[in-house]
Amino acid sequence: MGDDDLHTKDLEFIQDIISRLSDNSFKIKGWSITLIVAVLLFRTRDLHLLVAFIPLIGLWTLDAYYLKLERRYRSMYEDARTGNQDRDQFEMDSSGYRVESIPELMFSKSLALFHGTISILLLIYSAFVFILWLSPKLCGVLL
């Protein structure tokens, strides 16, 4: 195998990792919606609405973790593509690449738009249920 073939194979390995991480992030978003809807459907008390925030926050954090790893591997891919001499060929350890922290990534555009929208909708729904719970007269008017 020539140097060009090895270089291409190295880039393919990194790209495969990036693709898997991106696929995991997509699956997390699906699970987030599924679990939140399941919690809302099977709640027996109004206070169980708070339980819906547990999968939301947990999966939002996990999604940020996968985005962090994906960005590390994108940096690695860029180094491999440009032929950076500091990186050994076929070395897949991305810990040397520094990207934003998980809390910063949680509020990046890509994650905040998805998970933040769900949070806002869940807060609005919770507030509506709380208002109905506080005011039985209002409940009769709205229904």
Side-chain angles (χ1 to χ4, degrees):
M1 242 184 193
D3 283 344
D4 285 342
D5 293 337
L6 289 174
H7 181 71
T8 302
K9 202 51 131 167
D10 186 32
L11 291 174
E12 286 176 13
F13 285 158
I14 298 170
Q15 186 58 45
D16 287 344
I17 293 170
I18 293 169
S19 295
R20 279 195 306 272
L21 291 169
S22 182
D23 187 50
N24 287 342
S25 181
F26 179 75
K27 288 176 183 175
I28 286 171
K29 288 174 176 67
W31 273 106
S32 181
I33 292 173
T34 302
L35 290 175
I36 291 168
V37 168
V39 167
L40 293 177
L41 285 175
F42 295 115
R43 69 182 174 88
T44 56
R45 294 188 188 145
D46 292 335
L47 291 177
H48 289 165
L49 282 172
L50 299 176
V51 175
F53 286 96
I54 295 171
L56 175 67
I57 294 168
L59 291 172
W60 191 350
T61 305
L62 187 60
D63 203 6
Y65 173 72
Y66 278 116
L67 182 59
K68 180 178 182 169
L69 290 178
E70 183 180 336
R71 287 188 178 178
R72 280 183 177 175
Y73 279 101
R74 286 187 186 278
S75 296
M76 180 187 289
Y77 183 88
E78 189 60 28
D79 278 354
R81 188 185 65 78
T82 59
N84 187 342
Q85 300 301 322
D86 293 338
R87 183 184 167 272
D88 293 332
Q89 200 169 33
F90 297 106
E91 176 63 40
M92 297 297 150
D93 181 18
S94 69
S95 61
Y97 294 91
R98 297 290 167 232
V99 295
E100 299 95 331
S101 67
I102 290 176
E104 289 173 328
L105 288 171
M106 286 177 74
F107 295 100
S108 66
K109 287 180 187 177
S110 60
L111 295 186
L113 187 62
F114 180 81
H115 296 286
T117 301
I118 294 173
S119 298
I120 290 169
L121 291 173
L122 193 54
L123 285 170
I124 291 169
Y125 179 71
S126 298
F128 182 72
V129 168
F130 184 69
I131 289 169
L132 291 177
W133 178 71
L134 282 179
S135 176
K137 292 179 184 180
L138 182 61
C139 182
V141 171
L142 291 177
L143 297 178

